[in-house]
């Protein structure tokens, strides 16, 4: 069997492929006549007879299962009507031709559209290796880095794309503008969108991207004007209507927003909304107090999301990781393990909490302080966990690789890992020398609370706690991929919440932590008292600006970006009570954690 590149595991590498056996290829004499069949299939495809085209090309592939021309045609036949089947064919093509830039580019874009960011990054990186001076290779990396919340590194690749491009292409300008928005560089983003539209005034992507930027930056009239321009170009286009509905929602015109979503449904055969549209509809219905209808929209949206993405909660994987973390991070082991010393420059404040627990509210509050800069969702702790075996020269995986710290030649290994984190923070541009602290609110960093305590034993850890039923309800009403895709179903979100809660209990029992739990409800009911507690814990003086977090002009790159531009409100506190009946199936799962945290289910 030939050796070639395959993506059957965690990345592209030289292996003997698990599914393709080149020794079984038919001899050349049987392949040549099949060219007529391929042509017949191509003609049927051109005539939009997909059934005949697929039937004929499958006959070819029964005899020559790795024929690139036949596989490529099968991909073209399936990619519109059957995207999941098309994805499998495209993966096979890239496995056969790993150095084909066109195929790698198409697979990366497909994976991006499906939200499979980790896999998309594997192929985007390979595109740069294949063609380091190709503008589209760097364009791909820019898109992937931006989508995976690393826009600072995405910006580098956009600049490289401009260097190698024949000109400043409209789509490249528009995507780079989106990258600038993701970094909170709103004016730079505006200028790029303006340049894109000067080149191509009727470019929908640029118009919609600019409208999203203005909506995020609270310039609602400007956003509405841009959407009007877009509607003149493509009346009734669903993407435009969805943004119009979101804009109506931001201005509290909820009935108008729902009417626009109904327009989308009426324009489609069968009158159906997509997953994102249904979740937006559910959130609008919630605002109007139509809770039964809202929950039905959430349920259908998540069902469609599972169907479209093919993703489900990776329960076994999550459980195995948690058990290994519990097994390693025990008092006896950690007493034997050194701690990192204090690194140079600004230090992190870790804001922990399950997604939708209120971590963005706490970060907006803290970063209104003149001594604390905003880091947002920093991926560095996860990076260190992944790179640790190599950095500590260990044959073991994380967390077991930390046993190398017991060896004389690795006693200072944590200092190197700490410096990696701080250097990455500086590269991201989140540190400011005039501010001794910066925030890191990566969702579910609490999984690595043991590692954080070793790397930054003096750093404050603020853990935001909220009623579990409120958290799960909010998770269920949004599209989130954190937590091994647990948010794709109500029960799996509840089970992962319990799993993480039990791990936090383990860390608190076994380790010495610089840890402050803060209740979301306490922050809402007694804002100043809670803010003073947090600031005192961090070690900075009280500043009244922190009580007006809604005036913080930074753009929060989370699903809560709109909420944190409003003054503190209490409508999300104990919101689960409106959905008590629908949440009944998960109450037995959450009941032990609810009681342990001192909440009730009324």
């Amino acid at each position: 069997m030939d050796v070639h590149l395959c993506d059957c595991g965690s990345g592209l590498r030289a292996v003997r492929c698990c599914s393709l056996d080149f020794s079984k290829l038919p001899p050349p004499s049987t392949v040549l006549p099949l060219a007529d069949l391929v042509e017949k299939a191509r003609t049927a495809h051109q005539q939009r007879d997909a059934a005949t085209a697929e039937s004929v090309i499958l006959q070819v592939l029964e005899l020559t299962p790795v024929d690139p021309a036949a596989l490529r045609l099968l991909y073209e036949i399936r990619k519109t009507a059957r995207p999941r089947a098309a994805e499998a064919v495209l993966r096979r093509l890239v496995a056969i031709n790993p150095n084909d830039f066109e195929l790698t580019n198409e697979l990366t874009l497909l994976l991006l559209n499906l939200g499979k960011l980790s896999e998309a990054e594997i192929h985007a990186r390979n595109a740069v290796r294949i063609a380091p001076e190709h503008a589209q290779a760097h364009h791909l990396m820019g898109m992937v880095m931006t989508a995976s919340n690393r826009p600072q590194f995405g910006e580098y690749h956009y600049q490289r794309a401009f260097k190698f491009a024949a000109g400043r292409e409209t789509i490249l300008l528009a995507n780079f503008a989106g990258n600038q928005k993701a970094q909170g560089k709103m004016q730079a983003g505006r200028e790029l969108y303006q340049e894109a539209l000067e080149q191509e005034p009727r470019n929908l992507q640029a118009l919609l991207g600019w409208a999203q930027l203005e909506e995020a930056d609270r310039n609602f009239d400007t956003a509405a004007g841009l959407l009007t321009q877009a509607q003149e170009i493509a009346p009734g286009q669903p993407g435009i209507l969805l943004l119009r509905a979101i804009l109506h929602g931001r201005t509290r015109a909820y009935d108008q927003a729902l009417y626009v979503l109904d327009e989308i449904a009426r324009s489609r055969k069968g009158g159906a909304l997509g997953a994102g549209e249904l979740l937006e509809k559910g959130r609008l219905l919630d605002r109007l107090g139509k809770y039964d209808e809202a929950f039905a929209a959430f349920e259908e949206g998540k069902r469609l999301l599972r169907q479209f993405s093919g993703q489900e909660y990776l329960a076994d994987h999550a459980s195995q990781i948690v058990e290994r973390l519990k097994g390693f991070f025990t008092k006896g082991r950690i007493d034997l393990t050194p701690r990192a010393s204090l690194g140079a420059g600004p230090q992190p404040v870790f804001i922990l909490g399950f997604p939708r627990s209120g971590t963005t509210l706490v970060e907006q509050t803290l970063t209104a302080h003149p001594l604390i800069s905003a880091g947002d969702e920093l991926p560095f702790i996860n990076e260190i966990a992944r790179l640790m075996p190599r950095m500590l020269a260990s044959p073991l995986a994380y967390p077991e690789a930390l046993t190398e710290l017991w060896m004389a030649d690795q006693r200072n290994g944590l200092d190197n890992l700490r410096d990696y984190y701080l250097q990455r923070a500086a590269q991201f541009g989140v540190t400011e020398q005039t501010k001794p602290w910066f925030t890191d609110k990566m969702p579910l960093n609490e999984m690595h609370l043991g590692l954080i305590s070793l790397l930054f034993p003096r750093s404050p850890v603020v853990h935001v706690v909220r009623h579990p039923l409120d958290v799960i309800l909010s998770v269920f009403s949004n599209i989130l991929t954190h937590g091994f895709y647990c948010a794709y179903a109500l029960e799996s979100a509840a089970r992962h919440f319990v799993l993480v809660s039990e791990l936090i209990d383990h860390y608190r029992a076994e380790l010495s932590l610089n840890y402050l739990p803060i209740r979301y409800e306490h922050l809402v009911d007694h804002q100043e008292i809670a803010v003073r507690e947090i600031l005192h814990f961090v070690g900075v003086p009280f500043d009244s600006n922190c009580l007006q977090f809604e005036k913080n002009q930074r753009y929060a790159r989370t699903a809560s970006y709109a909420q944190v531009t409003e003054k503190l409100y209490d409508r999300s506190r104990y919101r689960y009570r409106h959905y008590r009946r629908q949440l009944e199936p998960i109450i037995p799962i959450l009941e032990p954690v609810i009681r342990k945290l001192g909440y009730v289910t009324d």
Side-chain angles (χ1 to χ4, degrees):
M1 192 186 298
D2 290 347
V3 176
H4 59 290
L5 287 180
C6 174
D7 68 343
C8 300
S10 62
L12 292 173
R13 59 195 188 279
V15 296
R16 294 187 184 276
C17 183
C18 61
S19 60
L20 304 177
D21 188 345
F22 288 83
S23 67
K24 295 181 180 179
L25 286 174
S29 60
T30 66
V31 174
L32 292 176
L34 296 178
D36 292 339
L37 282 175
V38 173
E39 190 56 37
K40 180 181 177 181
R42 182 173 286 109
T43 300
H45 177 53
Q46 291 169 349
Q47 295 172 349
R48 300 186 178 180
D49 183 357
T52 299
E54 182 163 341
S55 175
V56 173
I57 208 66
L58 287 174
Q59 293 178 44
V60 175
L61 288 168
E62 284 181 8
L63 296 170
T64 59
V66 292
D67 183 290
L71 284 168
R72 193 178 288 250
L73 181 53
L74 180 61
Y75 169 68
E76 293 296 329
I77 293 166
R78 289 179 171 176
K79 72 176 181 179
T80 301
R82 300 172 59 194
R84 293 277 299 281
E87 179 189 347
V89 177
L90 188 54
R91 287 177 181 278
R92 194 173 187 187
L93 273 166
V94 171
I96 296 167
N97 302 291
N99 294 317
D100 186 309
F101 179 81
E102 180 184 343
L103 291 171
T104 299
N105 174 62
E106 190 141 3
L107 180 56
T108 304
L109 292 172
L110 177 64
L111 293 169
L112 260 178
N113 288 333
L114 291 172
K116 298 180 178 180
L117 299 181
S118 296
E119 290 183 84
E121 183 173 339
I122 290 169
H123 296 287
R125 288 181 180 276
N126 203 43
V128 174
R129 296 185 191 105
I130 294 167
E133 296 184 356
H134 197 303
Q136 180 59 14
H138 290 282
H139 193 172
L140 287 172
M141 277 298 290
M143 286 189 286
V144 168
M145 290 291 190
T146 303
S148 58
N149 207 23
R150 288 170 287 171
Q152 296 85 348
F153 294 123
E155 179 170 353
Y156 169 84
H157 286 283
Y158 278 115
Q159 297 289 9
R160 298 290 286 175
F162 282 118
K163 176 179 179 180
F164 297 124
R168 292 174 70 82
E169 299 175 2
T170 302
I171 298 303
L172 184 54
L173 286 165
N175 284 339
F176 186 31
N179 168 275
Q180 296 295 283
K181 168 182 172 273
Q183 296 184 67
K185 300 177 181 179
M186 299 306 198
Q187 186 54 35
R190 284 188 190 94
E191 292 170 2
L192 286 161
Y193 281 126
Q194 185 173 6
E195 182 182 351
L197 289 167
E198 284 172 356
Q199 290 186 179
E200 195 177 332
R202 296 174 65 81
N203 185 279
L204 276 179
Q205 180 178 333
L207 278 169
L208 295 183
W210 194 352
Q212 286 178 300
L213 181 149
E214 299 298 354
E215 178 261 325
D217 208 27
R218 315 173 205 183
N219 298 317
F220 302 135
D221 289 342
T222 303
L226 290 163
L227 290 177
T228 297
Q229 292 181 52
Q231 284 179 290
E232 290 171 357
I233 297 168
Q237 206 263 2
I240 301 171
L241 293 174
L242 177 58
L243 287 178
R244 179 73 73 182
I246 291 170
L247 187 59
H248 283 318
R250 289 294 304 275
T251 56
R252 303 187 181 184
Y254 304 128
D255 287 320
Q256 287 178 268
L258 287 169
Y259 179 82
V260 172
L261 289 175
D262 287 341
E263 277 191 73
I264 297 175
R266 286 191 294 269
S267 70
R268 289 191 180 135
K269 187 176 180 179
L273 293 174
E277 295 157 351
L278 279 163
L279 294 175
E280 179 65 23
K281 182 177 182 177
R283 292 189 291 268
L284 291 167
L285 289 165
D286 176 272
R287 289 292 189 93
L288 290 169
K290 299 179 179 181
Y291 302 116
D292 289 348
E293 294 176 62
F295 197 83
F298 297 150
E299 279 193 310
E300 179 61 10
K302 285 301 174 79
R303 185 191 69 79
L304 289 177
L305 187 62
R306 292 192 299 272
Q307 177 182 312
F308 174 73
S309 68
Q311 293 286 2
E312 292 185 351
Y313 177 44
L314 305 174
D316 291 343
H317 185 53
S319 295
Q320 289 168 12
I321 289 175
V322 166
E323 287 308 308
R324 288 175 54 212
L325 290 168
K326 286 182 178 179
F328 183 83
F329 286 100
T330 62
K331 186 179 186 304
R333 283 176 178 268
I334 298 307
D335 284 348
L336 296 172
T337 305
R339 308 293 191 274
S341 58
L342 182 66
Q347 300 295 302
V349 176
F350 292 96
I351 303 171
L352 308 184
F354 208 82
R356 310 298 296 166
S357 62
T359 54
T360 302
L361 171 61
V362 170
E363 182 176 54
Q364 287 291 94
T365 297
L366 286 178
T367 56
H369 196 286
L371 297 179
I372 305 173
S373 60
D376 216 314
E377 298 179 358
L378 301 178
F380 313 141
I381 293 295
N382 285 307
E383 287 179 9
I384 288 171
R386 187 175 66 250
L387 295 172
M388 182 185 296
R390 189 167 60 198
M391 295 179 74
L392 295 180
S394 176
L396 304 175
Y398 168 77
E400 294 82 9
L402 286 166
T403 56
E404 301 303 324
L405 299 170
W406 302 341
M407 315 296 175
D409 58 351
Q410 291 293 353
R411 291 292 289 171
N412 297 318
L414 283 173
D415 286 351
N416 296 330
L417 297 174
R418 175 211 63 209
D419 288 344
Y420 174 90
Y421 180 102
L422 294 175
Q423 287 165 10
R424 294 284 275 170
Q427 290 168 356
F428 260 49
V430 302
T431 60
E432 299 179 39
Q433 290 306 310
T434 59
K435 298 183 178 184
W437 300 103
F438 63 93
T439 56
D440 181 346
K441 61 169 283 287
M442 188 67 183
L444 295 171
N445 251 352
E446 54 265 39
M447 294 277 287
H448 301 301
L449 188 51
L451 176 59
I452 289 169
S453 73
L454 296 178
L455 292 173
F456 296 100
R458 302 182 192 177
S459 279
V461 174
V462 180
H463 181 206
V464 187
V465 178
R466 185 181 179 189
H467 195 297
L469 287 172
D470 274 344
V471 173
I472 300 307
L473 176 62
S474 190
V475 161
F476 193 59
S477 66
N478 287 274
I479 297 178
L480 302 169
T481 58
H482 298 296
F484 306 97
Y485 301 101
C486 69
Y488 281 31
L490 192 66
E491 182 178 313
S492 58
R495 293 195 180 283
H496 195 67
F497 186 93
V498 171
L499 188 72
V500 173
S501 296
E502 291 173 347
L503 178 60
I504 293 172
D505 289 344
H506 172 84
Y507 283 136
R508 295 186 67 185
E510 296 288 330
L511 309 180
S512 176
L513 303 171
N514 189 20
Y515 172 91
L516 175 71
I518 193 80
R519 289 181 185 266
Y520 170 83
E521 296 84 5
H522 177 53
L523 182 57
V524 170
D525 291 340
H526 308 286
Q527 183 190 17
E528 184 170 341
I529 294 172
V531 169
R532 286 183 179 276
E533 287 175 6
I534 299 170
L535 294 178
H536 177 74
F537 175 67
V538 172
V540 294
F542 175 74
D543 190 291
S544 60
N545 287 321
C546 296
L547 301 179
Q548 298 177 305
F549 62 86
E550 74 279 2
K551 295 183 180 180
N552 190 340
Q553 290 299 308
R554 68 174 286 268
Y555 170 56
R557 300 191 300 268
T558 74
S560 306
Y561 78 94
Q563 290 96 313
V564 293
T565 64
E566 301 179 42
K567 289 184 178 180
L568 194 64
Y569 56 79
D570 66 358
R571 65 174 180 266
S572 293
R573 184 172 54 89
Y574 304 127
R575 185 166 65 113
Y576 79 87
R577 291 168 177 164
H578 301 301
Y579 299 90
R580 184 66 169 72
R581 178 177 58 82
Q582 292 92 340
L583 295 173
E584 192 70 34
I586 64 168
I587 289 178
I589 299 172
L590 292 170
E591 187 71 44
V593 178
I594 292 171
R595 287 199 309 270
K596 178 195 67 183
L597 293 174
Y599 292 106
V600 296
T601 55
D602 51 4

